[in-house]
Structures are given as C-alpha cells and as structure tokens.
Amino acid sequence: MAIHDFVLQSRETTIELHEIHLSSKNKNALNQLLKEFKHVAVLNHYKLPIDNKLLLFGHTGCGKTTTAKAIAKTLNKKIITLNLGSIVSSKLGETAKNISDVFKKATRESAVLFLDEFDYIGKARDYDSKDSAEMKRLVNTVIQLIDQLPNEVLLIAATNHSSVIDTALLRRFQLKLQFEAPSDADLDIYYQTLSQEFPEEFRGVNPIYGISYAEAKDITYRALKNKIIEKEELNSQLQNG
C-alpha cells in the first residue's frame, strides 16, 4: 500500500493553541518548544539540538490530538498524522517499511509528524513468541528513525497507555506532557467558554462532571442544537398556524 493509504487527513478546523485548556506546566513547556523552533537557525549555528520529540500521554479525550494540530498550526507546518493502531499488521516487516516511508515524507516536507496510538507498538509485544523477534526489530527501526530526525521536523506521539511502551522508545522523547481529566471547576469554565459563542437564549447547559473535555463538548453542542431546533420548529408552527 502507498503512504497516502496510511496518512490520515483531517477536515476539522484547527483551533489556536491558546484556546486549548492546558495546565500551566504544559503551557510553559510548549511555549519553550515553540521558541526553539522559531530560533532553530541560530540554535543550529551553535550546534544545539532542538527539543523536537514530544510525547503527549494521559486521559482520553483531553486534548492530545487537538494540541498536536494546534502546534502544527502555530509553527505553520504541515501535520502528517499516522495512527499506529491501523498500520501495525501481522506482517511486521511491511509495517517497518511503511513507518519508514512516513518518516521520510515528514523529513522531506519539514513537517510535524503525529503518531497517534503510540502505545500500539508496546501492546504488540503481547503477540505470541514467534513474533517477538520481528516485533523487537520493528521497535529498533522506530528508535533509529526517531534518532535520525533532523531539527526541523517535530515528532509528536500520543498515547492513553504510556506504561506499556518500550522504555527505550520513551527515552527518545525530550518532552513528556501529561494530560489529566478535567476537574469540576475546569469543566465549568469549559462549558461556559463553549456556550458564550452563541446567543444568550440558547445557553444554559446542564453540566455533567467526571468526564473528558471531548465528552463535555459533545454534551454542550447537543444541548445547543436542541434549543436552536426547538426555536426553529416553534417559529415554523407559528407561521403556519
């Protein structure tokens, strides 16, 4: 299969990095990363490496993918997204070649390479023993590809299960940012932020807590849509009445 069969294309509008609800620690780390890329030429002159390998891990639905896209937008770079869950196959030799091709594409285009479900390589170690040697070769291939990345390419990997990833792979990432489930106070702010973009008559979402930002977004938009549709149907009834 060709490279484009594995690279994911998103049609979603990418939000700005400052619009994402990040912890202070994560904001500071990302601001430092962005500054390094802004001044990559002078840092290259002094032969100083860029922190261009970033691991995003933690609770599902809390902004890892959104953050990766926003970083690429801020850097004005193309983002190449590869879901390892869909590319790792029983033919691990082919998998290694396909991953290598995507790394080469990212290097040629000086892009942001986003590897989603990065833990899938770790999980694949649970295959039966006859595949263990081939799996080890795949992990070694990925390690070599990461080590050979030029400064201008930013690698972002995301996982909900960092504990299963090979420690040798984890060591390659200079930055590791944890994404935690939002608190009730965080969700209150998020509900309000989402709702305030709409007319006041449609606001007033019944908040649900103990969920992710992604789930809160779905709940908010569903409530807003219901109120908008209710108004439209009422207006239609009045006009036809």
Side-chain angles (χ1 to χ4, degrees):
M1 299 179 76
I3 295 176
H4 60 75
D5 293 318
F6 300 105
V7 175
L8 303 179
Q9 302 294 332
S10 174
R11 297 183 180 180
E12 295 181 10
T13 302
T14 302
I15 66 175
E16 301 290 342
L17 192 59
H18 67 82
E19 298 178 82
I20 302 174
H21 292 256
L22 298 169
S23 67
S24 297
K25 180 180 178 181
N26 288 354
K27 282 182 182 178
N28 292 336
L30 291 178
N31 284 336
Q32 174 65 25
L33 180 147
L34 294 172
K35 287 179 181 178
E36 290 188 18
F37 270 87
K38 180 180 179 180
H39 300 285
V40 63
V42 68
L43 294 176
N44 281 340
H45 173 75
Y46 287 102
K47 298 181 180 179
L48 287 169
I50 301 297
D51 285 347
N52 65 337
K53 303 171 189 73
L54 172 63
L55 179 70
L56 310 179
F57 69 97
H59 199 278
T60 183
C62 287
K64 296 186 292 295
T65 299
T66 303
T67 298
K69 292 177 181 177
I71 291 171
K73 182 177 182 179
T74 303
L75 293 174
N76 196 28
K77 286 179 175 287
K78 177 180 180 180
I79 185 168
I80 298 172
T81 300
L82 181 65
N83 187 308
L84 290 178
S86 65
I87 193 174
V88 174
S89 69
S90 57
K91 298 180 180 179
L92 295 176
E94 291 183 8
T95 298
K97 179 184 181 302
N98 291 328
I99 293 176
S100 297
D101 288 343
V102 174
F103 267 79
K104 290 176 183 176
K105 177 179 174 63
T107 298
R108 286 196 305 270
E109 300 181 8
S110 188
V112 172
L113 175 56
F114 178 49
L115 302 181
D116 203 3
E117 293 194 42
F118 194 65
D119 53 278
Y120 208 87
I121 290 180
K123 287 181 180 177
R125 289 181 295 170
D126 295 333
Y127 289 174
D128 55 47
S129 58
K130 68 183 176 65
D131 287 326
S132 60
E134 191 66 37
M135 189 63 222
K136 189 176 293 185
R137 281 193 285 272
L138 173 59
V139 171
N140 288 336
T141 296
V142 174
I143 288 173
Q144 291 171 7
L145 290 168
I146 293 174
D147 288 344
Q148 293 167 4
L149 275 180
N151 269 357
E152 292 75 15
V153 177
L154 173 59
L155 171 65
I156 305 177
T159 176
N160 300 331
H161 310 284
S162 59
S163 60
V164 303
I165 299 174
D166 191 299
T167 54
L169 278 169
L170 289 176
R171 286 198 301 270
R172 265 57 196 182
F173 293 88
Q174 303 107 330
L175 297 175
K176 303 178 183 69
L177 305 186
Q178 183 172 7
F179 284 65
E180 298 179 340
S183 65
D184 291 356
D186 291 332
L187 285 171
D188 280 334
I189 294 171
Y190 190 60
Y191 283 125
Q192 183 178 3
T193 300
L194 291 174
S195 298
Q196 69 185 11
E197 300 176 11
F198 297 85
E200 190 170 352
E201 62 182 306
F202 300 129
R203 300 177 196 171
V205 177
N206 293 324
I208 296 176
Y209 301 105
I211 59 177
S212 69
Y213 284 121
E215 292 168 314
K217 184 177 182 180
D218 289 339
I219 289 169
T220 303
Y221 284 170
R222 192 176 301 118
L224 289 164
K225 287 184 289 185
N226 285 339
K227 290 182 180 181
I228 292 170
I229 290 170
E230 284 176 6
K231 181 181 179 181
E232 289 300 307
E233 291 185 341
L234 178 60
N235 288 340
S236 179
Q237 290 173 5
L238 292 173
Q239 290 172 5
N240 299 327

